[in-house]
Amino acid sequence: MLKKLDAVAARFHQIQALLCDPEVISDLNRYKSLMRELKRITPVTESYRAYLDALRAGEEARELLNSPGLDAELRELAEEELEQARAGAEESWADLKILLLPRDPNDDKNVIVEIRGGAGGEEASLFAGVLFRMYSMYAEARGWKSEILSANETELGGFKEISFSIEGEGAYSRFKFESGVHRVQRVPETESQGRIHTSTVTVAVLPEAGEVDIEINPADLLIDTFRASGAGGQHINKTESAIRITHLPTGTVVECQDERSQHKNKDKAMKVLRSRILQAEREKQSEAIAGERRAQVGTGDRSERIRTYNYPQGRVSDHRIGLTLYKIEAILNGDLDEIIDALITADTAEKLRNSGEG
């Protein structure tokens, strides 16, 4: 681990020098890439520097303690310094173990979120709309941009399904834990007897794939146009601006009719298509990951869930980590950080255990 840390520190100084090179400054793409790398390794370098400083301070304190004829007051100060140095070294080393864990290469990417009503009919569709609002508000609070890519609205204003993109630094690192079945327990507005209904909504979170991530042969695409239509005849488009793209080798089908422009709909549909195909390829490469994702997303059955939103009790429970919070209104208004931070902490702890460092 020390060799790895020395290499990271050397790379840190190398990047700093490169960023002052006129040739690098004039190459915008390279400059941005080096800045991203510098930002990523700066916390490691700083923690390593703090660790080495603590070791040096501890060594100096030990040398002082071994000095002959040391008076009581100086000895007490040296012992305090030695204890502080030891604690500082342990804290920095713990930080380094976490910082050096393998990074998810998708963490910095934008995301595409797909929400679909599961068990529960119209009530599930309405809750799909609630989750879309929750994620949109969370993105807005973090200064991220969200955009609807495709939506299938119901008569009562819910969504049978809706997909949208979220653009922002580290979006995938925060949203990836939302994949799975979300269960809601509440009394529907249409329920006259006041009975609590249980419904489910499935959420899938995909890292957005750029053109450099996956190359799609235009010959493999079947593109159909049709007239867009909304729930109850709303937003009916008299021109064939809606787009359906079928990727023939995989059978992946994506529709987009949100925009009035056929060109814009095609761009949005291609964005979703690339991300779905890339995700499918990754799953094919690693059956373990595929199994895990299937287990997370499941079928939308009521018995499968990662999180429950219980309106009568005002609670939200994440079943993966046993976390229950009694602030359902705040959470549904986009206050998700406490849940997501707890999931990240649990994920980090699991990685440390698996690496033998925990």
Side-chain angles (χ1 to χ4, degrees):
M1 188 164 167
L2 288 172
K3 281 184 180 178
K4 190 172 184 179
L5 288 165
D6 284 335
V8 171
R11 178 61 179 163
F12 176 83
H13 294 300
Q14 183 187 25
I15 292 173
Q16 284 189 319
L18 285 168
L19 289 171
C20 298
D21 186 331
E23 279 189 29
V24 173
I25 294 170
S26 63
D27 186 341
L28 190 58
N29 287 335
R30 190 181 177 200
Y31 186 83
K32 284 183 176 178
S33 175
L34 287 169
M35 284 296 292
R36 282 194 296 269
E37 187 181 353
L38 184 68
K39 184 178 180 181
R40 194 168 63 244
I41 67 174
T42 293
V44 180
T45 308
E46 288 176 347
S47 290
Y48 186 37
R49 194 176 292 149
Y51 173 72
L52 293 176
D53 287 345
L55 289 185
R56 276 192 291 271
E59 190 58 39
E60 288 170 7
R62 266 189 293 272
E63 285 178 10
L64 187 58
L65 284 168
N66 290 331
S67 301
L70 193 67
D71 65 42
E73 191 177 345
L74 274 176
R75 178 170 293 279
E76 188 179 338
L77 281 171
E79 284 173 350
E80 279 181 20
E81 285 180 13
L82 181 61
E83 187 52 41
Q84 285 174 3
R86 187 181 292 121
E90 286 177 3
E91 185 181 342
S92 297
W93 190 251
D95 290 343
L96 286 166
K97 285 195 292 187
I98 292 170
L99 289 166
L100 287 177
L101 285 172
R103 282 183 82 255
D104 186 331
N106 295 314
D107 273 353
D108 294 331
K109 290 190 174 182
N110 301 327
V111 296
I112 290 173
V113 182
E114 298 178 340
I115 303 175
R116 292 181 176 82
E122 186 61 49
E123 175 66 6
S125 297
L126 287 169
F127 192 62
V130 170
L131 289 187
F132 167 63
R133 177 180 175 273
M134 176 181 80
Y135 291 138
S136 298
M137 292 181 77
Y138 179 65
E140 186 180 354
R142 295 189 74 90
W144 295 340
K145 178 189 171 189
S146 61
E147 181 184 20
I148 294 175
L149 300 174
S150 176
N152 185 351
E153 207 170 341
T154 64
E155 296 276 355
L156 298 181
F159 294 100
K160 287 182 181 176
E161 59 181 82
I162 181 168
S163 65
F164 54 100
S165 64
I166 293 177
E167 296 179 12
E169 190 175 339
Y172 185 73
S173 72
R174 306 291 294 177
F175 269 90
K176 65 183 177 183
F177 298 102
E178 294 303 299
S179 279
V181 175
H182 296 244
R183 183 174 68 170
V184 58
Q185 295 171 325
R186 65 179 179 181
V187 179
E189 290 179 19
T190 53
E191 170 57 63
S192 57
Q193 304 296 318
R195 290 173 300 186
I196 296 171
H197 287 225
T198 298
S199 308
T200 63
V201 170
T202 64
V203 176
V205 179
L206 312 174
E208 186 181 292
E211 291 182 32
V212 293
D213 294 316
I214 185 160
E215 192 176 324
I216 296 176
N217 186 344
D220 291 337
L221 300 177
L222 176 63
I223 300 176
D224 298 311
T225 59
F226 58 98
R227 289 185 182 181
S229 62
Q234 298 170 24
H235 316 302
I236 289 178
N237 197 332
K238 292 182 170 58
T239 61
E240 294 198 340
S241 64
I243 291 283
R244 181 187 299 111
I245 302 178
T246 305
H247 185 246
L248 299 172
T250 61
T252 306
V253 180
V254 175
E255 287 186 5
C256 189
Q257 55 177 323
D258 196 58
E259 298 284 350
R260 301 292 182 189
S261 156
Q262 188 181 106
H263 179 70
K264 285 182 180 176
N265 279 328
K266 185 179 177 184
D267 284 348
K268 285 186 174 184
M270 283 300 295
K271 185 185 281 191
V272 176
L273 183 69
R274 273 196 298 268
S275 296
R276 284 193 192 168
I277 292 172
L278 184 63
Q279 182 74 4
E281 281 194 4
R282 286 200 184 100
E283 289 179 353
K284 213 182 295 179
Q285 288 166 3
S286 173
E287 277 304 306
I289 294 173
E292 183 183 335
R293 186 172 182 276
R294 280 195 298 270
Q296 280 186 347
V297 175
T299 62
D301 185 78
R302 287 181 180 86
S303 63
E304 298 177 331
R305 79 280 186 207
I306 61 162
R307 193 177 297 152
T308 294
Y309 305 78
N310 186 297
Y311 277 69
Q313 295 177 16
R315 68 171 169 85
V316 175
S317 299
D318 197 289
H319 307 292
R320 294 164 293 181
I321 53 175
L323 175 69
T324 295
L325 299 173
Y326 289 88
K327 54 173 195 177
I328 190 169
E329 189 176 338
I331 288 167
L332 293 176
N333 283 329
D335 185 6
L336 285 170
D337 276 333
E338 190 172 352
I339 294 176
I340 292 173
D341 287 342
L343 287 163
I344 290 172
T345 299
D347 182 58
T348 301
E350 181 65 25
K351 285 176 180 172
L352 280 170
R353 279 194 296 273
N354 292 338
S355 72
E357 297 286 356

